[in-house]
Amino acid sequence: MEAYSFGRSVVVSLPWWRIMVIEAQVHQQLREFLRDCGDSTWPHHLTLARLVARALRLGRSALLQVGGLSAYQGDYRLSYLVALLLWPGPAVLVVAEETRQRLLLGDLPRLQDRLGLTKPVQVGEAWPGQDFTGVLITSPEAWLADRLGEATQFPSGIPTLIDDVDHLETWLGNLLTATLTQADWEALGLAYPQYRELIRDTRVALTFVAFQHPPNPYHCHLLEESDSARLHHLHQVLTTDGRAEAMPPTWQRFWSVFANADHLRWFVTDRQSGHITLHCTPVDLAIHRDKLWQPQPVVLIGASLDHDAKADIFCQRFGLEDLTCLKFSPDRHNDLVNLYLPDHLPLPNTPQFQSRVHQEIRRLLVWATCPGPVLILVNDLPLKGQLAAALAGEFGSRVQVESLEITENTILMSGWDFWHQHRHRLPTPALLIMATLPLPSLEHPLVAGRVAFHKRRRQDWFRLYLFPTAMAEIQRAIAPLRANQGLVALLDTRVHYRSYGQQILDALSPSATTRSLRPDWNLSPNAPTQRY
């Protein structure tokens, strides 16, 4: 027997031969399962399972990109589940609620029944106990909060697999963002009654400044230096008399985040109530690398985390080092989309773009003969409203704006966030039209704040932030259409005239592409095309 240690408090004795043959066991068992079931067409099951098993055996972290369609369908999860269930030691599986329900109600019972696996599986937000050698399924919020020091529920050293890490930035942002509401200001006044007037004057001054900004579609504005100075003064006055222990917990957390000048600070305005909400969050998430990744080996699995197989930008963003990185290739036959790429439209930043893109969308709607709804993705808020109004004038009630009541005849006008959030609940569109590339708008205050952060560090803000964000958005958006070789139209001609255009086309591959709508081309999959 060989003692195998998983941190200070969890030590399990494992036979050496079980550790050495784990990859072979996983390969054999999964192959038999797939042969018996025959209900998965993803070609990389065995490779993914062996990689996860190897990472568990060696204790070496890995980053695996499974592709947009595979992530949308979720079949790849069978591979890592077999590896986790055959691994003789304890493990943590971090998944979001929706994925957890699918695993508990479908994939796990199937695997346990078919393969006769008896390893215990529990669901919870704390480690079951020192002697537990099974798989604990927990939420991203619970695991990340523990690693960031906000709880002590998980021992260090336990191999951890995190699925759907495309949402890692959102998960971390939700945990690391400090927020102050109207109730928090009132609690501060109760904690420091002798300074109630100063607290009230500070809040009133910040509220006045916030509403002096002209309204924008995002309902938020960055704090200016004078606003930050006013808050710093309040903190200094409240803590100089030695009464820092009276500070309410939400304010303690806010001051700890607010102290870093590189953090993003903004307020959200509610013009109906006349109240504001203050927010502060770190931009550089790599500063938490030691807490997140060093205490244990981690296997990170996502759809399309980076256009490069080495995922250098993703790793730099989150402080990941010494990883085994692999990006699975899409199936050039089963994952193909039919892609329309016109090159005669003006660029999006020109005055002619709105009218011309409206005409092009109208042409597509008239020419499209495939049964099913049409989805038009527009992130620019004024453009989305203007296009919706213009199309509704011609197509009537068929045009819906971010609605869940979709029929086969619906023309759905949507932002990218709405589509990502509800795509599993909505029918797959017969035609998806991307009016523009989903590059984050510099008119959004938070985007401008992040760009300013990279500029202060003299970093390439387009390569490190705007471009990777757009690439990930595109991959996720078109994933449902790959399942039935759907039709995608990209009307942003920057893909033809900008240096990054080829990388976007690579992200859209495999595709059958045409650049013109001819009378004999009716958006059917049998149209003459060029393959990429």
Side-chain angles (χ1 to χ4, degrees), residues 178-180 188 192 235 239 243-259:
T179 301
L180 294 178
L188 187 65
Y192 294 91
H235 179 251
T239 55
R243 293 200 59 199
E245 70 281 355
M247 193 73 65
T250 53
W251 281 91
Q252 292 181 24
R253 185 167 184 265
F254 179 81
W255 294 128
S256 66
V257 180
F258 190 79

Side-chain angles (χ1 to χ4, degrees), residues 17 32 121 138 277 292 336 476:
W17 56 268
E32 292 178 0
V121 177
T138 192
T277 307
L292 288 174
L336 179 141
R476 284 194 291 162

Side-chain angles (χ1 to χ4, degrees), residues 36-213:
D36 292 341
C37 296
D39 59 352
S40 178
T41 59
W42 195 55
H44 305 296
H45 274 296
L46 298 177
T47 303
L48 176 61
R50 288 197 304 270
L51 285 170
V52 174
R54 179 178 180 272
L56 294 171
R57 176 174 64 85
L58 298 178
R60 177 178 171 83
S61 295
L63 177 66
L64 309 175
Q65 302 183 66
V66 297
L69 176 59
S70 177
Y72 175 73
Q73 295 176 329
D75 289 347
Y76 70 93
R77 297 188 178 104
L78 293 170
S79 305
Y80 71 66
L81 286 175
V82 172
L84 290 173
L85 292 173
L86 287 173
W87 169 243
V92 175
L93 174 58
V94 181
V95 292
E97 177 63 26
E98 184 178 348
T99 302
R100 180 195 307 181
Q101 292 303 316
R102 171 170 177 168
L103 298 182
L104 295 177
L105 299 177
D107 295 337
L108 277 168
R110 287 175 62 205
L111 288 172
Q112 289 172 332
D113 292 343
R114 290 294 187 98
L115 300 180
L117 301 174
T118 59
K119 185 171 185 174
V121 177
Q122 289 194 27
V123 178
E125 298 191 350
W127 190 248
Q130 181 175 353
D131 298 329
F132 182 71
T133 59
V135 177
L136 176 68
I137 302 178
T138 192
S139 66
E141 294 78 13
W143 188 83
L144 291 171
D146 181 85
R147 295 297 89 173
L148 293 172
E150 298 186 12
T152 54
Q153 305 295 333
F154 301 92
S156 27
I158 301 176
T160 301
L161 189 147
I162 307 177
D163 199 358
D164 296 322
V165 291
D166 308 76
H167 306 291
L168 181 58
E169 183 170 354
T170 301
W171 296 336
L172 284 172
N174 292 338
L175 280 172
L176 296 173
T177 299
T179 301
L180 294 178
T181 65
Q182 182 77 5
D184 294 317
W185 284 97
E186 295 170 357
L188 187 65
L190 292 173
Y192 294 91
Q194 70 274 37
Y195 294 113
R196 187 170 292 155
E197 185 176 346
L198 173 63
I199 294 169
R200 183 197 62 213
D201 291 345
T202 304
R203 184 185 65 185
V204 169
L206 289 171
T207 303
F208 176 79
V209 170
F211 285 102
Q212 288 296 106
H213 289 272

